[in-house]
Amino acid sequence: MMPELSTLLGGLTPERFLAEYWQKKPLLVRGAVPEINQLMSRNDLFHLATGEDIESRLITRADGWQMHHGPFSLRQLKRAALPWTVLVQSVNLAHAAGDALLRRFDFIPYARLDDLMVSYATDTGGVGPHFDNYDVFLIQGMGSRRWHIGKQKDKTLIDDLPIRIIKDFRPTQEWLLNPGDMLYLPPQWAHDGVAVGECMTFSVGFRTPTAQELGEQFLSFLQERLSLPGRYSDPDLKKPRHAAEIGTAMIDQVETMLSSIRWNRTTVRNFLGTSLTEPKANVFFDPPAHPLTIARFAAAAKRKGVVLSPASQLLFSGNQFYLNGEDWKMPAHVKPLIRELANHRTLKIAQPTGVALAKDVLDDAVGLLYEAYCDGFLWPAS
Ligand code: SIN
Ligand code: CO
C-alpha cells in the first residue's frame, strides 16, 4: 500500500481546492506525492506495455511525430529512435498501488474518474503541445519534466499528424517538476511537458464528456433495452393521389408508435450507473482458478474483510448499486455494507472486537460477496 498522501493538495483542504481551482485554474503543488517513486519502476511500466490487455502507445519524434500502438516487446522499446515516450493507459486496473493512488483523489466523485495513465520518456521526450478534454493531475515520478502551459483560445491542431499537436502554442507559464511534484490542469488548457533526463509522469484524469457523446451513449443504451409493441398496419388504405407521396396517415401512425419510446430520471440514473461502471473493452475478470468454498470464503472475509479487484467499478445512486456494468440487486439490509465497500473499495464485515452484525445481515452479505468473488470482482483481503 502507498503511505498516507497527506501532502496531496499542498495544505489546501479539498473544499478550498474545489472552490478555487477545480475546473477554474491550474495549481502547482511541490512535494504532493513524495512517495511516488515507490509506486512503480520503469521496468514495471515497460512490462505492462508488453501486455495484450492494456492500451499502450509509443511516440517518437526522430523524423517527425510517429505513433505506434502496443503491445511492445522490451526490445522494441529499447531500440526506439530517440527521443521516445511510452504511455500506458488505465494502469490502475492492473496495479493495486496505482488504484490506491487514484483513490486518494476521492474528494472528486468516482463517477468523474477516468484512469491513471503512466508515461516514461527519454531525455527531451514528450507528446508535444496539446490540450485534453479532461481535468488532469500530472504527478512527476522519476526524473524531471519541464511544463509549459497556457489558456489559449486558438486550439487549431496541425493537420495530418498521428497525434494531436497545437499549431500555434503560446504558453504563459513554465515550471520544472521534480519527483513528487504535481500540476493540476482544468480541461482544455494547452500544455507541453518535456523530459529533462529520463522521466516518468503519472496522470490522474477525470472525464468531461460532451453532450453529444452522452447523447449518443444514451441512445444506444435505450436501443439495447427497447421493446415496442405493435406493427404498422393500414387495413383502411385508400388509393393515393400520388404514389410517391409519404401520406399523412403514415406519419401520424409512426409518430404515435415512436411516442412510446419514453425515459425518465430512473432511466438516466440506470444509464449512468451501468455505463460508468461498464468495464473497458480490454478488461477481463479472472474468476479464481480454485475458488474457496463459501464457508472458507466467509471465514476469510470475516477475519480480514474483502477488497474489490482494481479492475472492478462499483458505484451507487440512492438504493441502487451498479457493479461492472450491471445493476447489482441485494436485500435492503446489506446496502449500508455495500455502500461502504463502494466508497472505500474494501470492507471489514466483522469488527476485530467481534461487534456483531445481525446474523441474517452477515449471511446475506457473505452470500452476495461470494458470488462477486466467484466472478473475480473481489477477493478476501490479505
Ligand atoms: C505525458 O505523460 O507524457 C503526457 C501527459 C499529458 O500531457 O497529458
Ligand atoms: Co495532456
Side-chain angles (χ1 to χ4, degrees):
M1 272 310 263
M2 297 274 300
E4 191 58 27
L5 303 174
S6 53
T7 49
L8 192 62
L9 295 172
L12 289 182
T13 60
E15 289 79 5
R16 223 179 119 200
F17 169 76
L18 293 174
E20 289 178 24
Y21 295 91
W22 177 250
Q23 295 239 305
K24 298 168 199 75
K25 59 185 180 192
L27 174 68
L28 173 74
V29 180
R30 295 283 179 199
V33 188
E35 315 84 352
I36 192 78
N37 279 337
Q38 298 159 33
L39 190 84
M40 171 176 276
S41 69
R42 182 182 74 170
N43 286 346
D44 290 340
L45 182 69
F46 290 180
H47 184 75
L48 284 178
T50 64
E52 292 276 347
D53 47 5
I54 206 156
E55 189 188 326
S56 55
R57 285 167 296 155
L58 176 68
I59 294 174
T60 62
R61 216 185 51 209
D63 19 56
W65 292 102
Q66 300 226 10
M67 202 247 296
H68 300 276
H69 287 283
F72 303 105
S73 68
L74 296 177
R75 277 176 55 162
Q76 260 174 310
L77 291 178
K78 293 198 173 127
R79 289 189 176 178
L82 292 172
W84 59 271
T85 180
V86 65
L87 304 111
V88 182
Q89 219 65 51
S90 298
V91 167
N92 52 297
L93 302 180
H95 198 269
D99 181 60
L101 173 65
L102 205 104
R103 304 295 164 183
R104 289 297 301 143
F105 292 83
D106 63 2
F107 51 89
I108 299 154
Y110 291 166
R112 282 281 264 105
L113 188 54
D114 189 51
D115 73 345
L116 171 68
M117 179 182 84
V118 185
S119 69
Y120 165 86
T122 60
D123 186 30
T124 74
V127 300
H130 66 283
F131 62 88
D132 298 309
N133 300 318
Y134 288 88
D135 293 274
V136 67
F137 294 87
L138 299 156
I139 307 164
Q140 186 59 32
M142 70 180 274
S144 303
R145 188 182 278 273
R146 189 173 304 283
W147 285 99
H148 285 95
I149 70 165
K151 194 191 184 186
Q152 60 191 70
K153 285 219 172 65
D154 178 4
K155 303 223 164 47
T156 316
L157 302 176
I158 303 180
D159 290 333
D160 303 322
L161 287 186
I163 60 173
R164 291 151 35 95
I165 305 277
I166 295 177
K167 209 173 219 167
D168 185 18
F169 181 46
R170 292 171 186 254
T172 51
Q173 280 168 294
E174 165 186 344
W175 295 287
L176 182 70
L177 267 67
N178 293 311
D181 294 349
M182 178 175 85
L183 176 60
Y184 161 72
L185 290 179
Q188 306 275 316
W189 274 67
H191 55 286
D192 183 21
V194 177
V196 179
E198 285 182 293
C199 132
M200 281 175 75
T201 300
F202 296 73
S203 306
V204 178
F206 293 86
R207 53 191 148 214
T208 55
T210 60
Q212 180 68 23
E213 286 162 345
L214 284 169
E216 289 176 10
Q217 287 168 23
F218 182 61
L219 288 180
S220 98
F221 170 88
L222 276 186
Q223 181 178 349
E224 282 163 22
R225 285 155 187 79
L226 194 64
S227 161
L228 297 181
R231 175 188 297 279
Y232 189 82
S233 69
D234 49 5
D236 303 326
L237 187 66
K238 302 279 179 294
K239 180 174 175 297
R241 239 170 10 122
H242 309 289
E245 189 179 14
I246 302 169
T248 51
M250 173 177 267
I251 297 174
D252 289 345
Q253 185 178 161
V254 172
E255 184 183 22
T256 306
M257 286 168 126
L258 297 185
S259 69
S260 60
I261 303 176
R262 291 268 164 80
W263 68 84
N264 56 29
R265 213 178 148 75
T266 304
T267 330
V268 174
R269 173 166 89 163
N270 288 335
F271 159 65
L272 285 171
T274 53
S275 60
L276 290 172
T277 62
E278 180 66 31
K280 298 199 177 185
N282 49 5
V283 169
F284 297 97
F285 290 92
D286 293 322
H290 305 287
L292 301 171
T293 61
I294 187 158
R296 281 184 187 269
F297 173 82
K302 283 177 197 164
R303 219 169 339 117
K304 296 262 179 84
V306 294
V307 287
L308 286 174
S309 153
S312 272
Q313 304 297 332
L314 172 57
L315 298 175
F316 66 88
S317 168
N319 279 326
Q320 210 70 37
F321 288 77
Y322 304 93
L323 175 61
N324 297 330
E326 305 278 336
D327 197 341
W328 198 16
K329 299 263 186 265
M330 64 192 72
H333 60 203
V334 303
K335 289 184 176 177
L337 287 177
I338 304 303
R339 193 167 301 141
E340 177 101 358
L341 177 63
N343 285 328
H344 302 294
R345 301 192 52 86
T346 168
L347 173 69
K348 294 252 180 289
I349 46 183
Q351 318 291 338
T353 50
V355 176
L357 288 161
K359 184 165 179 324
D360 57 337
V361 176
L362 200 58
D363 287 349
D364 284 348
V366 165
L368 184 78
L369 295 170
Y370 184 69
E371 275 179 38
Y373 158 74
C374 292
D375 287 331
F377 295 164
L378 54 81
W379 42 72
S382 50

